Amino acid sequence: MKTIVIATKNAGKAREYQEMLAPLGIEVKTLADFAPIAIDENGETFEENATIKATTATNQLHLPVMADDSGLMVDALGVLQVYAQQGMLVIMTMLLIMLNSYRH
């Protein structure tokens, strides 16, 4: 069985991924399943922070890691507009490509 780590400690998010990926024979783990990892999310966009999370966790755990990052954007406050990945289908396609190319 292949394993992927979702860079979250959110049990609800982990459950959603497990429901989607279990039929494909993929075990889902989260950061809560491992010793704490210091991740400095200092990016200027959601994409940068997700990349920082995934890269840091992958380097520490030596497993494929998928991360997302989101937040509240309020145009009226002049907050910099950032763009998140569009659509779960794109994310799942990228995940499957990554898992198929990953070697233990």
Side-chain angles (χ1 to χ4, degrees), residues 74-89:
V74 182
D75 289 336
L77 297 177
V79 176
L80 177 65
Q81 178 97 17
V82 294
Y83 300 96
Q85 191 75 311
Q86 296 179 0
M88 184 56 87
L89 180 60

Side-chain angles (χ1 to χ4, degrees), residues 44-66:
E44 294 182 14
T45 66
F46 294 152
E47 182 179 0
E48 286 176 3
N49 281 335
T51 300
I52 290 166
K53 268 196 269 192
T55 302
T56 302
T58 295
N59 290 338
Q60 293 288 318
L61 302 174
H62 306 286
L63 289 167
V65 177
M66 189 172 90

